[in-house]
Amino acid sequence: MRIKHIVIATAVLVSVSSFAQKDELKALKKIYAKDIPSANDVAEYRANLDKLTPLATEEGDVVYANFYKSMLPILQIASYGTSVTPAQIASAYSFKSINDLAIGLNATLDYEKKTGKKIYTDDINETITSYKPLMVNIAVELVNAKKNKEAADVLYAIYQLDKKDQDKLFYAAYYATNAKDYEKALNYYKELKALNYTGEGTVYVATNKISKKEETFSSKTERDLFIKTGTHEKPRDEKLESKRGEIYKNIALILVDAGKVDEAKAAVAAARKENPNDTSLIITEADLFLKVNDVENYKRLVNEALEKEPNNVDLVYNLGVVSSNANKLDDAEKYYKKALELDPNYFNANLNLAELKLRADEKFVTEMNKLGTSEKDNKRYEVIKAEREKNFKFVLPYLEKAVELKADDEAARKTLLSVYNALDMTDKYKALKAKN
């Protein structure tokens, strides 16, 4: 009898625990359903979460316990009502909370798909649509604060929330690379490769009449609506080129950095086999051979790329960048000049050619400062001074063109001001300075 009594007592205890668990779930569901919960509601919500977590054991209860837990930051933001501030939003969100949200919501979606009972599926999809822009803003703020690792983590969490938005995965990989978090970056790039992501598309841009700054819109329809209402002007479409080459290049470079040169070569070779006419991949392979000082293969690939597209200005310009990064300055100058022959208004080619030639200035200044006051040194000083002035005059038209094309580019303006100053072009210096 005692044994039987003990079993019954245990069953009663389990039953009480189950009822308590259901009470917490009901309380959470009730508070969650409120449009604008109060601060007391949020406190009660937290308390019920704390009670529920150790009690939830069945699959459904665990899923919904984690769902309610992941939604806590959103509930907290909702409690501030329409007066919510950016600081309050920032305090509610962190990488962990966004990551937990992605895990909790995705687990709930999967569970409801499996059971066929869509209790929160529609609500979750609406939540992702509504709150995703806030999360993107948090990522942007982290980028602006140069917190690349944190930005990458947030962007990856956003991608986990909305896997249709593969652009977020690309930028997560990009900022992870900038943060030198190569293991994560490599995983993200490999996932992009598996998805066959290219990033090609069109960006719809218009200028805000008040701020005078260009803004990007999600669609042509949205952009045209703002034009029609009169808040924006100067609409333009910007074509996004394929990022496939960049993805394979970064995979290769990360592998090279890890000492896996053969694996890097194999990755690029496989990519080229799948996409034999993709010139961006030819540049990627050329860049890889430069990294390992294989000059002959580098030259072979450069010639192959130019044979395919001799008048592709972006290709020619990129070859200039690759050559410049490899310190092959004569090649770089040749490609930048060729790019400008094809398109004199190519901003980056104008600026990069000027920067390339200005690298010699350090050598001029160093030698001039080492000279003494003897007659021989004075003559040498005048020779170097003339060479330096000649170099400044060479870069001047390229810098002026760059500033003409992009007046708000700080690097171009500062460099041009320095050259004006060095050439004693006081009037032009003052005129440009006044435009600041």
Side-chain angles (χ1 to χ4, degrees), residues 298 319-320 323-324 326-337 353 356-357 359:
Y298 162 74
L319 289 170
S323 301
S324 177
N327 210 31
K328 294 187 174 295
L329 305 188
D330 290 341
D331 283 349
E333 182 176 348
K334 179 180 71 176
Y335 292 129
Y336 288 145
K337 284 181 175 179
L353 179 56
L356 187 76
K357 298 299 289 183
R359 292 185 193 183

Side-chain angles (χ1 to χ4, degrees), residues 94-114:
S94 64
F95 159 65
K96 187 177 185 308
S97 66
I98 295 174
N99 192 53
D100 288 345
L101 185 67
I103 293 169
L105 297 194
N106 283 325
T108 308
L109 288 171
D110 291 343
Y111 180 74
E112 294 191 353
K113 185 178 181 180
K114 182 177 77 171

Side-chain angles (χ1 to χ4, degrees), residues 333-394:
E333 182 176 348
K334 179 180 71 176
Y335 292 129
Y336 288 145
K337 284 181 175 179
K338 174 66 175 175
L340 291 172
E341 285 176 19
L342 295 168
D343 180 5
N345 294 326
Y346 203 120
F347 170 78
N348 284 334
N350 278 289
L351 186 60
N352 282 20
L353 179 56
E355 182 275 331
L356 187 76
K357 298 299 289 183
L358 285 172
R359 292 185 193 183
D361 199 55
E362 183 178 355
K363 180 186 70 175
F364 292 143
V365 172
T366 300
E367 186 176 354
M368 290 167 80
N369 287 336
K370 285 181 179 178
L371 293 171
T373 56
S374 67
E375 183 179 352
K376 181 182 177 182
D377 282 351
N378 286 339
K379 284 181 179 179
R380 178 61 184 159
Y381 184 92
E382 291 302 320
V383 169
I384 302 171
K385 182 182 176 184
E387 288 179 2
R388 187 177 185 231
E389 186 172 316
K390 181 180 177 182
N391 196 48
F392 282 138
K393 287 179 178 178
F394 174 87

